[in-house]
Amino acid sequence: MSLPIYLIGARGCGKTTVGHLLSKTLGYAFHDTDHHLQTSLQCTIAQIVAEEGWESFRMKERDSLIAVTADSSVVATGGGIILRPENCQFMRDNGRVFWLSVEPDELAKRLDAEPENEQRPTLTGRPITEEMSDILKVRSPLYSSTAHHIIDATLPPQEVVDHILQVLSQQRAG
């Protein structure tokens, strides 16, 4: 069995798309913490946040992370999973963590093209380009310190997967 692979990064960076491709390529199971959370609670993230607040959501998100962690799996995490230090430590201790890094302007373009408001509630209510820029100022150091590897996710999804596979093969060889 192989350790789980965690994909972290801002919403819209491609964690789910890359995760599906990577899991197929490796023959691993694919898990998405947001999907697991919504399925198990039978409501959207936006509903959880509206009804219970961000703190409650973050606690449920942690439970979801633990629930989906398994050997030989790829786990796409929510963009804010790194806001809780215990989540960062859990992922670093239990698998390989890849930060799918994308600049704020590109994230804004992607989110404008596919808003998915039920899954991705606005954090500030401001225009998405401003919001993503401010969020990344806060979160980039957390993504960086949590990740074992930083991957340029502005590339097409298959190229992102190829880069992750290169890193994994180098680790096995080293």
Side-chain angles (χ1 to χ4, degrees):
M1 287 301 212
S2 296
L3 292 174
I5 296 168
Y6 298 100
L7 303 178
I8 63 172
R11 59 189 175 134
C13 73
K15 297 179 299 276
T16 300
T17 301
V18 168
H20 278 294
L21 278 170
L22 182 61
S23 65
K24 268 188 187 171
T25 303
L26 292 170
Y28 282 15
F30 174 75
H31 302 285
D32 182 302
T33 58
D34 286 348
H35 182 265
H36 176 269
L37 184 62
Q38 292 177 103
T39 302
S40 62
L41 296 177
Q42 293 297 296
C43 62
T44 66
I45 290 170
Q47 288 171 317
I48 296 167
V49 171
E51 293 169 15
E52 301 178 34
W54 281 105
E55 184 60 28
S56 177
F57 167 71
R58 294 292 176 212
M59 291 171 52
K60 290 172 176 25
E61 184 178 53
R62 165 133 176 98
D63 295 341
S64 183
L65 174 65
I66 293 167
V68 301
T69 292
D71 286 338
S72 300
S73 65
V74 175
V75 178
T77 63
I81 200 125
I82 43 76
L83 295 174
R84 288 183 163 258
E86 63 269 22
N87 292 343
C88 301
Q89 193 64 52
F90 179 84
M91 291 185 289
R92 285 190 63 80
D93 289 349
N94 288 288
R96 302 307 301 164
V97 184
F98 289 85
W99 173 20
L100 303 187
S101 179
V102 178
E103 292 299 315
D105 289 348
E106 176 63 22
L107 289 172
K109 276 190 237 169
R110 292 178 184 186
L111 292 170
D112 276 340
E114 294 182 49
E116 297 182 47
N117 292 327
E118 289 298 298
Q119 289 184 353
R120 300 172 172 154
T122 179
L123 300 176
T124 64
R126 294 190 353 257
I128 195 68
T129 304
E130 289 175 29
E131 179 175 283
M132 293 315 299
S133 183
D134 289 349
I135 287 169
L136 285 177
K137 283 178 191 166
V138 172
R139 293 184 181 179
S140 289
L142 299 171
Y143 290 134
S144 181
S145 65
T146 301
H148 292 104
H149 308 283
I150 300 171
I151 303 293
D152 177 0
T154 59
L155 301 168
Q158 187 58 55
E159 288 183 42
V160 174
V161 168
D162 292 343
H163 282 246
I164 293 171
L165 293 172
Q166 283 179 325
V167 169
L168 293 171
S169 68
Q170 290 169 355
Q171 285 181 331
R172 288 186 190 113

